[in-house]
Amino acid sequence: MVYSPNMKLSIVLSTQPAQFQAATFKGDLETNLASIASLGYDGVELAIRDPKLVSLDQLDELVGKYGLKVPAIGTGQAWGEEGLSFTDPNPTVRRAAIERIKSHIPVAARFQSIIIIGLIRGIVKPGISDEQAMNWLIDALRECSEAASLHGTRLALEPINRYETTLINNVGQGVELIERVGVDNFGLLLDTFHMNIEEQVIEDSMRTCGKHIFHFHVADSNRWHPGGGHLNFKSILETLSSTGYAGWVSGEFLPKPDAITAAKKCIAHLHEM
Ligand code: LER
Ligand code: MN
């Protein structure tokens, strides 16, 4: 079996309505948590637009009721729904993005989750140089990581394909960014869907990233569940193990043909290859 028992499996659930299509589960929280647990997942990755919109006590009670852990918290909807970003030319927007990420720290500390930096990093806006955008990004990441480290929490930036952002598309750029930010609790989230678009050889890039892999998203080449496209998950998961990764593998794929079927097929594919 390729899928090591040390690698726990989770799946993405959005706590609020979201435009992001690959949040596999959306809608009623408790119904979804019950389904996710009954399908055999060990955890649930929560996409939370704004921690103010959720009751932490209720969340804690519900995930506890279904025996689920929360390995990571996705934050990208603050960009998708509200336009907050670390690299917006408007300093008020940049500050709001930093404060939003800091507001996730108590949630992450409570659940011992990683805070994901996805699209909230922003894009290079017209009239802004790449260097300026990178400097804003590095300053924001350093400030948020330093605040998170006081609570024993880690941040993971996700290289995202060129069709969604112009900042940090591939793993090499992500590793360079880690060196420039220079704090131990900042690493990367690798996503097989994005790597399939951007990397020359997915496994080589994973090995280059090595100990900086803090979290891992699985979706197939077409963003369907693993097994729905043409990626070689046997080789990908073997490579992940070989890096010494002891974290979670989190399903983030389109709910096709529907969320439950996709979630079932993901588990079946990863366990039975
Ligand atoms: C989020 O994890 C992701 O992979 C991005 O595609 C969000 O748009
Ligand atoms: Mn992802």
Side-chain angles (χ1 to χ4, degrees), residues 20 158 189 191 194 217 223 252:
F20 179 49
E158 180 176 34
L189 152 60
D191 181 321
H194 300 304
H217 279 168
R223 222 168 199 180
E252 182 194 57

Side-chain angles (χ1 to χ4, degrees), residues 40-246:
Y41 284 85
D42 309 293
V44 61
E45 178 180 316
L46 295 174
I48 301 179
R49 172 158 73 81
D50 184 345
K52 277 204 213 92
L53 301 172
V54 297
S55 153
L56 260 193
D57 289 336
Q58 189 208 8
L59 258 186
D60 207 354
E61 193 192 316
L62 281 178
V63 294
K65 180 172 170 186
Y66 294 102
L68 293 166
K69 302 277 186 226
V70 182
I73 294 171
T75 61
Q77 288 167 22
W79 156 265
E81 315 285 327
E82 297 174 62
L84 299 189
S85 106
F86 287 165
T87 50
D88 195 281
N90 181 342
T92 309
V93 176
R94 296 200 300 277
R95 179 46 46 195
I98 291 170
E99 295 307 325
R100 178 64 59 83
I101 291 300
K102 285 183 174 175
S103 78
H104 284 278
I105 295 172
V107 188
R110 181 141 168 190
F111 293 115
Q112 296 185 303
S113 327
I114 282 170
I115 298 173
I116 296 172
I117 307 296
L119 288 173
I120 197 164
R121 66 162 105 4
I123 55 174
V124 184
K125 289 264 175 87
I128 301 297
S129 68
D130 289 357
E131 194 191 349
Q132 176 65 85
M134 278 303 275
N135 288 339
W136 282 332
L137 178 60
I138 289 166
D139 286 350
L141 288 169
R142 211 172 271 146
E143 180 175 339
C144 293
S145 300
E146 281 169 359
S149 80
L150 301 176
H151 299 262
T153 300
R154 297 189 296 162
L155 263 66
L157 182 131
E158 180 176 34
I160 289 180
N161 77 75
R162 68 191 73 182
Y163 305 107
E164 295 187 56
T165 181
T166 44
L167 263 177
I168 316 295
N169 302 125
N170 61 47
V171 177
Q173 291 165 341
V175 171
E176 218 173 277
L177 179 67
I178 289 172
E179 281 158 14
R180 290 184 68 186
V181 173
V183 289
D184 287 348
N185 64 327
F186 175 63
L188 296 189
L189 152 60
L190 302 190
D191 181 321
T192 55
F193 171 73
H194 300 304
M195 287 196 288
N196 180 56
I197 296 171
E198 297 294 344
E199 307 304 322
Q200 263 187 330
V201 178
I202 291 176
E203 291 84 346
D204 288 351
S205 300
M206 290 170 65
R207 280 186 281 267
T208 302
C209 194
K211 68 178 187 340
H212 301 300
I213 307 176
F214 280 12
H215 193 53
F216 202 79
H217 279 168
V218 284
D220 218 318
S221 49
N222 48 5
R223 222 168 199 180
W224 279 53
H225 56 82
H230 57 73
L231 286 183
N232 181 347
F233 281 96
K234 180 175 187 304
S235 168
I236 287 171
L237 293 185
E238 272 171 359
T239 305
L240 190 58
S241 286
S242 78
T243 66
Y245 183 72

